[in-house]
Amino acid sequence: MRLYDVAVLGAGPAGCAAAIRLGQMARAVALIERARPGQERAGETVPPEICRPLRELGVWESFCADGHSPAAGIGSVWGSSQRAETDHLFNPYGHGWVLDRGRFDTMLAQAAEDAGADFLSDTPVTGCRLTEDDSWEISGIREGNRFRLSARFLVDATGRTGARFGCNGHRLHADRLIGAVKVLRPTTAAVERDVRPLIESAETGWWYSTWLPDGRLVAAFMTDPDLLAGDTRKRAAAWLARSRETAHTRARLATCEPEVPLRIFPAGTSRAEPVAGPGWMAIGDAAMSLDPLSGQGIYHALQSGLAAASIVAEPRDQALAHYAAEVAAAFAASRKTQAAYYAQERRWPASVFWRRRQSPALTPTPRAPRLARA
């Protein structure tokens, strides 16, 4: 059973960023991902500042060569029926980007391998325990066979629903937001179209849509689970009905037809408590997940991975305590910004969705650990 310096669970942007930097620091790293590589994911818009962590990781040139679409700005219909434009014209980092997420994630995973990490994809973790010698013993299934490895330090990058490793923690939730997402293909010949990402508010939620680099359209309805129908067929019908309550989003959808069924993703604002402990830390969405309205999810994930790599190399108790304080402060600041944005929308005073966000409260949710600690 090989002993690694660090085991990183989850090969999203946060996990890959940590693995890349740790590999560059000559640490022995295992990067473990339960999914198969190259699985399709909906595109995402990232801000111009994304160049900073990508340059720090040494992957900026690879990113630029991967064919992601430039985003000169973003359109919004928020607080009124009039569309407003936010331009990146004067941003010192240039324009933003609409990602091909599959290509982006593959690029980061390859960079982690190039930096020396052992990348174990399609590898569900089934057990994780802290041993008497203060190392982590991790077990799982790889290519149909059981495996075990050991690591001196554990990084949880498993996302919003990440495993808690039996730390007796909980998660503080500001809301239960979900994203109901469809990917659509154009039904008409390619014509000049509005290619900017678009955000449009509605009575029971808000919409995000953008054209992907491959010419398809991704459209996400952000709402609460109880405000969308229960079963899959009814949800698809409700999604379409809600889109008809918009103007700009509806016009985009009218030029397309669905390519994949409706998919539901958790998108709520929440924070883990604790986010770190002896020999482990949570990063990215596993530490705190931001409202997608901020557009900072991937940027935050990359920065979180870089921070994790630095902390692993420092005296742990002091560094982990400082990290936990930084996460709490960043989460509080993001909630203030989020509340200010939601407060701008006053067109539906009786709407349950908007009332919830204009007077939010954190609610703790105890979580039984899915991975046992000895």
Side-chain angles (χ1 to χ4, degrees):
M1 182 169 61
R2 179 173 176 181
L3 175 63
Y4 290 87
D5 293 318
V6 185
V8 180
L9 303 191
C16 283
I20 292 168
R21 176 46 57 86
L22 288 165
Q24 293 167 346
M25 297 166 66
R27 301 301 197 274
V29 181
L31 177 62
I32 307 172
E33 169 58 46
R34 64 178 300 168
R36 298 187 301 276
Q39 287 190 331
E40 184 177 49
R41 297 185 62 183
E44 189 161 348
T45 304
V46 293
E49 292 79 8
I50 199 73
C51 65
R52 295 171 54 192
L54 293 179
R55 284 187 173 129
E56 194 169 347
L57 290 166
V59 299
W60 175 243
E61 291 184 359
S62 297
F63 173 84
C64 291
D66 265 348
H68 306 290
S69 298
I74 187 167
S76 63
V77 185
W78 194 275
S80 78
S81 59
Q82 298 300 311
R83 174 168 169 158
E85 305 291 337
T86 301
D87 291 311
H88 298 314
L89 182 62
F90 299 108
N91 191 300
Y93 299 105
H95 55 71
W97 301 85
V98 176
L99 299 183
D100 179 321
R101 272 305 301 273
R103 192 175 300 171
F104 181 73
D105 291 348
T106 298
M107 180 271 291
L108 289 178
Q110 182 60 58
E113 285 193 283
D114 292 343
D118 287 344
F119 180 38
L120 309 178
S121 65
D122 197 13
T123 304
V125 170
T126 57
C128 187
R129 70 185 188 97
L130 189 61
T131 63
E132 293 181 356
D133 63 355
D134 291 329
S135 64
W136 290 91
E137 183 180 293
I138 301 163
S139 57
I141 305 295
R142 178 165 173 76
E143 297 178 350
N145 300 312
R146 295 185 179 276
F147 81 95
R148 287 191 304 159
L149 59 83
S150 183
R152 296 185 179 91
F153 196 89
L154 189 67
V155 175
D156 175 7
T158 51
R160 295 171 183 267
T161 57
R164 299 295 292 144
F165 311 115
C167 66
N168 297 320
H170 57 271
R171 201 160 181 96
L172 297 170
H173 292 270
D175 56 59
R176 301 288 178 176
L177 191 72
I178 59 170
V181 181
K182 276 190 179 183
V183 179
L184 308 99
R185 63 176 179 271
T187 56
T188 58
V191 294
E192 184 176 349
R193 58 168 70 105
D194 173 19
V195 297
R196 291 191 177 207
L198 173 68
I199 292 172
E200 184 171 8
S201 57
E203 184 172 358
T204 55
W206 56 272
W207 289 81
Y208 162 82
S209 63
T210 191
W211 296 99
L212 300 176
D214 62 9
R216 296 179 300 166
L217 179 73
V218 60
F221 179 43
M222 315 304 296
T223 188
D224 290 332
D226 60 326
L227 303 180
L228 201 62
D231 63 71
T232 303
R233 183 176 298 180
K234 289 181 179 179
R235 277 184 169 179
W239 186 92
L240 185 60
R242 296 301 186 192
S243 72
R244 297 190 183 110
E245 298 171 358
T246 66
H248 302 272
T249 302
R250 180 181 60 198
R252 283 186 164 183
L253 296 178
T255 66
C256 301
E257 63 182 11
E259 183 171 90
V260 297
L262 185 70
R263 297 175 181 173
I264 307 295
F265 299 96
T269 301
S270 63
R271 177 172 68 85
E273 181 58 42
V275 296
W280 73 275
M281 64 188 299
I283 65 173
D285 281 347
M288 69 171 182
S289 56
L290 306 178
D291 191 303
L293 186 62
S294 71
Q296 297 291 315
I298 289 182
Y299 178 80
H300 155 70
L302 294 173
Q303 294 285 40
S304 183
L306 285 165
S310 299
I311 289 168
V312 170
E314 295 178 11
R316 289 178 184 167
D317 291 345
Q318 179 181 358
L320 289 172
H322 181 68
Y323 171 75
E326 284 189 330
V327 170
F331 184 72
S334 71
R335 290 195 68 227
K336 287 183 179 179
T337 302
Q338 174 186 341
Y341 276 116
Y342 278 108
Q344 295 175 15
E345 185 53 85
R346 295 289 182 180
R347 285 181 288 169
W348 301 286
S351 166
V352 173
F353 178 86
W354 295 100
R355 287 208 313 267
R356 287 170 176 169
R357 280 147 186 86
Q358 289 162 359
S359 56
L362 284 175
T363 56
T365 302
R367 299 182 59 189
R370 289 182 291 167
L371 302 181
R373 178 178 173 179

